[in-house]
Amino acid sequence: MNGSFKEVPRIRFAHLPTPIEELGRLSDALGGPRVFVKRDDGTGLALGGNKTRKLEFLIADAIEKGADTIVTAGAAQSNHCRQTAAAAAKFGLGCVLVLNGHKPDGASANLLLDSLLGAKIVWVERREDRERVQGELCAELSTSGKTPYFMPYGGSTPIGTLGYAFAVEEAMKQGLDADWYVFGTSSGGTHAGLVLGARLFGFRGKVLGISIDESEEWLKARISALASEASELLGPRVEVRPEEILANDAYCRAGYGVLTDAEIEAVGLFARTEGLLLDPVYTGRAAAGLIDLARKGFFKKSETVLFWNTGGQPALFAEKYQPYLA
Ligand SMILES: *Cc1c(COP(=O)(O)O)cnc(C)c1O
């Protein structure tokens, strides 16, 4: 099938394929279903994570367009920003990160790594200010003779989405016949890619995103549009409709990055049954959803769930989570 796609620039630097492992002790603790994990926390770039798959396409696009500076955005503990800073460093590009929040006195976790990786950090007060400031910074860079590459937060453009479309091909080749893909969804690129990949490569299971911060309605509209648009980069448009997107927003009521008992339980349960580390913001919340849905009998005991570990573990070391996790 691969050969029939249009050629899209990609630089291969992720450690792929990421392993699939069975989580037998976790499945036992839940009383079913059978749970496996796709280790996308091990993609190899500066502690890894899901953004690395997107960056294989985004960095290739930036270089093809002659860009010399990447301008992207995120939260203070953004995994996307950390991986983007690393990819920029690896390919000799400048990197400017627009982060929302207040500059802390001491940088920890992802924020510490951003500086270590040579990124320039610009703080904005509110999340809604990020995109405007990114645009202003790009204009300033252009005026000073640079060639900026505007990368939306999360790297969730149609180009970035391709990373997860091909991840489905990769997972299917690994031979696990999963009934469900379960993962955390936020800016939508991971989810859109998995949905598109499922269509292109004939995955017969269901693709269920657990929302980290957005409403089900927003996610359905956003992800269907992103998947459809991304498909056009590879060939004829695949029309994905909002009602085809499975997104559950029941676990994000506390707000982005707010740790509740559910995330604390999930991080602890995965750690103690499997020695597997989740992160407090994304995979911890997604796993809390998986655990609750399993307990409610949403998944059949005979079914197989593939949980995508999208990374984010550096945030375990963020100062703000220490009182909860220690
Ligand atoms: C960004 C991120 C996600 C969500 O991916 P999107 O493509 O933004 O929806 C999930 N898990 C982790 C660890 C992330 O950093």
Side-chain angles (χ1 to χ4, degrees), residues 50-51 54 79-80 83 154 156 184-191 212 279 282-283 310-312:
N50 63 337
K51 304 311 180 302
K54 304 179 187 183
N79 302 299
H80 162 69
Q83 287 162 85
S156 287
T185 183
S186 177
S187 69
T190 302
H191 199 161
I212 302 307
D279 83 285
Y282 292 95
T283 54
T310 47

Side-chain angles (χ1 to χ4, degrees), residues 224-246:
S224 56
L226 204 45
S228 304
E229 252 186 88
S231 71
E232 295 185 52
L233 297 168
L234 298 176
R237 181 176 171 95
V238 174
E239 196 61 50
V240 178
R241 287 171 292 116
E243 39 313 349
E244 292 171 60
I245 304 298
L246 300 178

Side-chain angles (χ1 to χ4, degrees), residues 23-299:
L23 304 182
R25 280 173 40 79
L26 176 75
S27 302
D28 288 348
L30 295 174
R34 227 175 141 188
V35 184
F36 290 73
V37 64
K38 176 84 168 145
R39 295 295 305 273
D40 272 20
D41 53 323
T43 51
L45 182 70
L47 303 178
N50 63 337
K51 304 311 180 302
T52 302
R53 287 190 190 268
K54 304 179 187 183
L55 286 163
E56 286 200 333
F57 289 90
L58 290 163
I59 293 289
D61 184 50
I63 290 172
E64 174 139 306
K65 293 195 164 109
D68 53 28
T69 311
I70 309 291
V71 180
T72 195
Q77 281 299 335
S78 165
N79 302 299
H80 162 69
C81 287
R82 181 231 329 144
Q83 287 162 85
T84 303
K90 187 174 173 65
F91 293 96
L93 305 169
C95 182
V96 183
L97 304 175
V98 178
L99 305 181
N100 60 288
H102 290 283
K103 184 180 189 299
D105 291 336
S108 67
N110 280 310
L111 188 55
L112 182 148
L113 299 177
D114 293 341
S115 316
L116 191 61
L117 293 161
K120 181 184 169 210
I121 294 170
V122 176
W123 291 93
V124 296
E125 191 123 356
R126 300 172 314 145
R127 182 184 160 138
E128 305 84 72
D129 299 330
R130 290 190 314 216
E131 202 173 298
R132 175 181 50 78
V133 171
Q134 267 184 282
E136 289 166 8
L137 288 165
C138 284
E140 280 170 31
L141 285 161
S142 298
T143 308
S144 66
K146 295 279 194 187
T147 308
Y149 184 84
F150 185 110
M151 190 186 290
Y153 81 99
S156 287
T157 64
I159 288 172
T161 292
L162 296 180
Y164 270 90
F166 289 107
V168 175
E169 181 183 39
E170 175 186 305
M172 288 178 68
K173 277 192 187 150
Q174 289 172 298
L176 178 72
D177 191 19
D179 297 292
W180 295 91
Y181 285 170
V182 176
F183 51 91
T185 183
S186 177
S187 69
T190 302
H191 199 161
L194 292 173
V195 167
L196 176 60
R199 287 276 282 270
L200 293 175
F201 301 106
F203 174 63
R204 53 151 214 99
K206 297 194 181 84
V207 178
L208 172 63
I210 306 292
S211 178
I212 302 307
D213 50 355
E214 301 286 0
S215 72
E216 185 177 325
E217 193 190 359
W218 184 91
L219 288 166
K220 282 173 180 257
R222 159 99 173 155
I223 289 158
S224 56
L226 204 45
S228 304
E229 252 186 88
S231 71
E232 295 185 52
L233 297 168
L234 298 176
R237 181 176 171 95
V238 174
E239 196 61 50
V240 178
R241 287 171 292 116
E243 39 313 349
E244 292 171 60
I245 304 298
L246 300 178
N248 185 326
D249 65 4
Y251 304 98
C252 61
R253 302 281 148 76
Y256 177 86
V258 178
L259 215 54
T260 73
D261 289 346
E263 288 86 25
I264 295 167
E265 188 206 2
V267 171
L269 185 64
F270 275 62
R272 287 189 294 271
T273 56
E274 297 289 349
L276 190 72
L277 298 178
L278 304 178
D279 83 285
V281 180
Y282 292 95
T283 54
R285 182 161 284 180
L290 187 157
I291 291 166
D292 185 59
L293 291 170
R295 285 179 181 153
K296 282 180 174 154
F298 174 86
F299 306 115

